[in-house]
């Protein structure tokens, strides 16, 4: 029997953090880490699909979804800080063993958490998220220009287009063969948080902070080799943001890897959610089922 | 907005109506969609 999702708020380091939760609390836990510029909304169907047997937690990062957006002056919008927020959330919820689902921005949060606490990690599910330099192709050129020179206004203007209404729609529909299955609610929901005052600058700050991730790729790859995490890759193979070459790369370092590509784009759960949920269920049933 | 007696009232003119009051609010499907889906399935299948 599927369980109902609950919608919760909790104070984490002075920030009001929103998270979705479903499933039996004594079942194996999966932490779902959302991508830019989405929120836990992207997991709404997956959470329901797995909630009969697994305990799902999907938080929104500060500045995204329904979580609070502290002023930039009072909060450091960085991947380091997001990882601390999630780590503290898990401590407060008393969750010490978990699987991690990493998508897009969720990946650098996941790798920080997993490499810091390898003993806590039961499995890792990667969906269109990166840990390899070659995974950052053409889409990343203006972002790399911005890393070189933060005052590069041309790059900045391009970056802003990624999450304007047109750019959002593109992120959800590019590489999708039948776009009629993609709900426009996705970008309309995202716009609610993206249009808050200061949020545009927060998105730029995070694009800029993403430069801290590639230098860490070698240590995260070392983590894969040293700890052999059980990993499932479920990847939209038509993603322009994280192209499939970045998925292939995991094969070099991850020994316990199961690998599935889908004829889907960046937000693969939107078009192929049922298939992906079935594969995740089968994987978790074999790896962590109690 | 649409209180329970308004639901029961259908029984006056549709004596064969199956009227089920559920412990929920206006947007009932948000709270009880699986339960309601089962009721509808059984009703349609007869």
């Amino acid at each position: 029997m599927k369980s109902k999702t609950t919608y919760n708020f909790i104070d984490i380091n002075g920030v009001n953090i929103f998270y979705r939760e479903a499933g039996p609390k004594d079942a194996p836990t999966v932490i779902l880490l959302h991508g830019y510029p989405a929120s836990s909304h992207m997991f709404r169907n997956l959470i329901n699909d797995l909630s009969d047997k697994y305990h799902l937690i999907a938080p929104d990062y500060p500045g995204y979804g329904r979580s609070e957006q502290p002023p930039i002056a009072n909060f450091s919008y960085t991947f380091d800080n997001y990882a601390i927020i999630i780590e503290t959330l898990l401590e407060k919820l008393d969750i010490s063993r978990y699987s991690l689902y990493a998508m897009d921005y969720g990946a650098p949060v996941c790798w920080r958490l997993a490499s810091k606490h390898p003993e806590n990690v039961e499995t890792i599910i990667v969906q269109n998220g990166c840990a390899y330099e070659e995974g950052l192709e053409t889409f990343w050129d203006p972002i790399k220009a911005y890393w070189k020179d933060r005052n590069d206004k041309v790059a900045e203007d391009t970056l802003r287009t990624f999450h304007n209404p047109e750019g959002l729609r593109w992120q959800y529909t590019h590489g999708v063969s039948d776009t009629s299955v993609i709900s426009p609610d996705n970008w309309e929901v995202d716009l609610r948080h993206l249009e808050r005052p200061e949020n545009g600058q927060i998105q730029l700050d995070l694009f800029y902070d993403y430069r801290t991730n590639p230098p860490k790729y070698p240590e995260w790859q070392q983590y894969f080799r040293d700890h052999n995490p059980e990993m499932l890759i479920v990847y939209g193979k038509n993603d322009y943001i994280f192209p499939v070459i970045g998925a292939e790369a995991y094969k070099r370092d991850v020994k316990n890897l199961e690998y599935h590509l889908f004829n889907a784009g960046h937000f693969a759960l939107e078009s192929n959610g049922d298939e992906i949920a079935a594969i995740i269920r089968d994987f978790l049933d074999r790896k962590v089922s109690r | 907005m649409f209180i329970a007696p308004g639901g029961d009232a259908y029984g006056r003119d549709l004596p064969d109506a199956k009227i089920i009051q559920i412990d929920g609010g206006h947007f009932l499907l948000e709270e009880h969609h699986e339960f309601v889906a089962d009721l509808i399935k059984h009703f349609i299948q007869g």
Side-chain angles (χ1 to χ4, degrees):
Chain A
M1 179 78 177
K2 285 169 184 168
S3 90
K4 283 172 196 158
T5 301
T6 60
Y7 305 89
N8 316 275
F9 287 92
I10 187 171
D11 183 282
I12 302 294
N13 300 345
V15 185
N16 199 22
I17 295 292
F18 172 85
Y19 66 98
R20 295 166 197 250
E21 180 172 26
K25 284 192 202 296
D26 58 350
T29 299
V30 185
I31 311 300
L32 304 159
L33 299 171
H34 71 80
Y36 152 91
S39 68
S40 59
H41 178 263
M42 65 166 282
F43 296 121
R44 67 202 179 284
N45 296 322
L46 182 66
I47 289 171
N48 191 48
D49 289 344
L50 299 176
S51 66
D52 58 322
K53 205 167 171 188
Y54 295 98
H55 177 216
L56 295 311
I57 304 264
D60 291 348
Y61 314 131
Y64 290 89
R66 304 264 59 79
S67 278
E68 190 185 347
Q69 179 194 305
I72 292 173
N74 302 342
F75 185 83
S76 145
Y77 285 91
T78 63
F79 290 93
D80 278 348
N81 206 15
Y82 278 1
I84 289 167
I85 293 274
I86 302 302
E87 183 183 17
T88 313
L89 170 72
L90 297 182
E91 280 166 17
K92 279 215 171 177
L93 297 178
D94 202 20
I95 294 167
S96 56
R97 294 278 291 160
Y98 43 79
S99 292
L100 292 162
Y101 183 114
M103 190 267 165
D104 189 88
Y105 275 10
V109 175
C110 169
W111 308 135
R112 279 171 174 78
L113 213 57
S115 60
K116 188 173 173 189
H117 301 288
E119 69 288 354
N120 294 355
V121 177
E122 291 187 309
T123 75
I124 298 174
I125 300 161
V126 181
Q127 184 245 307
N128 300 80
C130 199
Y132 292 86
E133 284 271 1
E134 66 260 47
L136 305 178
E137 283 188 332
T138 327
F139 175 85
W140 291 84
D141 290 349
I143 301 170
K144 287 173 183 170
Y146 195 56
W147 294 346
K148 275 203 188 109
D149 175 11
R150 215 184 167 169
N151 297 314
D152 183 335
K153 290 294 167 200
V154 177
E156 184 183 306
D157 286 346
T158 306
L159 267 44
R160 287 184 191 277
T161 66
F162 296 154
H163 48 265
N164 69 19
E166 181 104 344
L168 284 172
R169 190 180 176 283
W170 175 87
Q171 289 203 48
Y172 281 100
T173 55
H174 182 80
V176 178
S177 53
D178 177 7
T179 57
S180 73
V181 304
I182 308 297
S183 168
D185 292 348
N186 283 299
W187 46 91
E188 295 298 339
V189 164
D190 291 349
L191 283 168
R192 277 287 287 188
H193 65 253
L194 290 164
E195 289 179 347
R196 289 182 284 187
E198 259 197 3
N199 197 282
Q201 188 57 48
I202 289 170
Q203 300 310 323
L204 292 175
D205 287 357
L206 283 159
F207 277 133
Y208 188 64
D209 192 68
Y210 205 94
R211 80 193 186 289
T212 64
N213 295 322
K216 290 192 161 69
Y217 288 166
E219 43 177 285
W220 295 337
Q221 293 155 15
Q222 188 66 44
Y223 154 75
F224 299 152
R225 290 192 296 271
D226 290 346
H227 292 276
N228 296 313
E230 296 280 356
M231 189 183 287
L232 172 69
I233 289 187
V234 281
Y235 227 84
K237 70 180 169 68
N238 309 325
D239 187 1
Y240 183 73
I241 301 170
F242 289 115
V244 77
I245 188 170
E248 284 287 318
Y250 287 96
K251 292 178 177 173
R252 289 206 298 271
D253 298 304
V254 181
K255 204 166 65 180
N256 302 318
L257 180 66
E258 299 185 21
Y259 187 84
H260 299 266
L261 299 182
F262 298 88
N263 185 23
H266 187 59
F267 287 107
L269 286 175
E270 293 303 322
S271 58
N272 295 63
D274 291 347
E275 288 164 85
I276 293 174
I279 284 173
I280 292 175
R281 173 184 291 278
D282 170 67
F283 173 77
L284 292 173
D285 283 355
R286 285 181 287 112
K287 303 297 180 186
V288 296
S289 187
R290 298 200 262 270
Chain B
M1 279 171 260
F2 292 110
I3 55 173
D8 291 333
Y10 285 96
R12 289 205 301 268
D13 299 306
L14 294 165
D16 292 338
K18 191 173 175 187
I19 297 169
I20 300 164
Q21 299 281 1
I22 297 165
D23 185 16
H26 186 61
F27 286 104
L28 182 68
L29 292 177
E30 291 301 316
E31 297 164 85
H32 298 290
H33 91 266
E34 286 206 44
F35 181 66
V36 174
D38 276 348
L39 288 174
I40 292 173
K41 218 186 286 177
H42 285 115
F43 174 72
I44 289 172
Q45 285 165 353

